């Protein structure tokens, strides 16, 4: 059994970028990094770092399947989202994902950051200008533009800090 397994779902590469950084930051050689679509239960670990892209405030179906299958594990969540770059929104994402994690697991925390969105999203927002509240559409376009540079170096640094925080919790649990 591995010490750590980093499993991620990434549609645009944002979450994979964070997963790669988390994997590099893990202070163990007993680790593996895999895409959730290739996870079939063949790899087991004491601690899981599970990452996903956010779609309408929650995780993908593959991530739900993974979370629902875990029992007696230590679990940390991470991910990216294009909209809602606030701690309040990140807590909502965490809560929505945790609904799928059984209570016999130990939750170690989460880290979420903004991620760039495909240009088709902005095109859709622009096409809605005449049919929706102009202030709301302007806010959505601004959020799109703000997300273009993310994940950035600061986001990657915060991913490293997240790993350090999780490892401090693991040390306390093991003592």
């Amino acid at each position: 059994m591995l010490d750590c397994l980093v499993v991620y779902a990434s549609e645009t590469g944002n979450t994979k970028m964070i997963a790669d950084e988390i994997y590099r930051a893990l202070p163990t050689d007993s680790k593996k990094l895999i895409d959730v679509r290739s996870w079939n239960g063949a790899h087991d670990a004491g601690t899981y770092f599970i990452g996903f892209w956010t779609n309408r405030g929650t995780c993908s179906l593959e991530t739900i399947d993974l979370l629902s299958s875990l029992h007696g594990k230590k679990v940390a969540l991470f991910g990216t989202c294009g909209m809602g770059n606030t701690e309040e929104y990140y807590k909502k994402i965490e809560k929505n994902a945790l609904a799928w994690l059984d209570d016999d697991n130990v939750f170690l925390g989460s880290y979420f950051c903004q991620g760039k969105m495909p240009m088709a999203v902005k095109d859709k927002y622009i096409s809605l200008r005449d049919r929706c509240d102009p202030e709301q559409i302007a806010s959505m376009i601004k959020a799109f533009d703000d997300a273009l540079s993310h994940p950035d170096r600061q986001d990657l640094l915060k991913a490293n800090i997240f790993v350090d925080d999780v490892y401090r919790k693991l040390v306390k649990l093991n003592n």
Side-chain angles (χ1 to χ4, degrees):
M1 179 164 59
L2 297 165
D3 288 342
C4 292
L5 189 57
V6 180
V7 186
Y8 66 90
S10 186
E11 290 296 309
T12 61
N14 296 327
T15 306
K16 182 178 184 337
M17 186 183 303
I18 300 297
D20 289 341
E21 191 67 24
I22 285 173
Y23 178 79
R24 281 191 292 272
L26 290 171
T28 180
D29 291 330
S30 178
K31 60 186 176 180
K32 190 156 183 74
L33 172 71
I34 59 175
D35 185 304
V36 72
R37 290 181 178 149
S38 64
W39 183 81
N40 57 12
H43 303 287
D44 192 21
T47 303
Y48 283 72
F49 284 80
I50 300 173
F52 55 89
W53 58 282
T54 305
N55 184 16
R56 295 186 172 116
T58 195
C59 50
S60 65
L61 289 176
E62 300 101 340
T63 304
I64 290 170
D65 289 344
L66 171 59
L67 289 169
S68 299
S69 74
L70 297 178
H71 295 282
K73 303 298 179 185
K74 297 170 189 93
V75 179
L77 301 176
F78 67 94
T80 58
C81 63
M83 301 295 282
N85 185 25
T86 66
E87 287 304 315
E88 180 181 300
Y89 185 59
Y90 295 152
K91 283 295 179 192
K92 179 182 173 190
I93 296 167
E94 175 189 290
K95 181 181 175 188
N96 290 344
L98 286 176
W100 303 104
L101 187 67
D102 199 270
D103 289 341
D104 67 351
N105 295 288
V106 177
F107 179 59
L108 299 169
S110 66
Y111 168 65
F112 294 97
C113 68
Q114 204 168 22
K116 61 187 155 291
M117 297 173 269
M119 192 54 76
V121 173
K122 185 173 184 177
D123 293 342
K124 181 178 179 179
Y125 295 161
I126 291 170
S127 74
L128 295 172
R129 275 187 173 152
D130 295 334
R131 293 182 270 159
C132 296
D133 175 27
E135 286 183 30
Q136 181 183 13
I137 295 299
S139 172
M140 293 165 76
I141 291 171
K142 181 180 180 335
F144 177 93
D145 291 341
D146 290 347
L148 284 174
S149 64
H150 292 272
D152 61 15
R153 286 180 168 219
Q154 195 70 20
D155 298 324
L156 298 177
L157 174 63
K158 289 177 182 175
N160 277 271
I161 294 167
F162 170 63
V163 170
D164 288 343
D165 289 344
V166 167
Y167 258 82
R168 275 192 231 103
K169 290 177 185 174
L170 286 171
V171 167
K172 285 181 183 178
L173 285 171
N174 292 330
N175 286 336

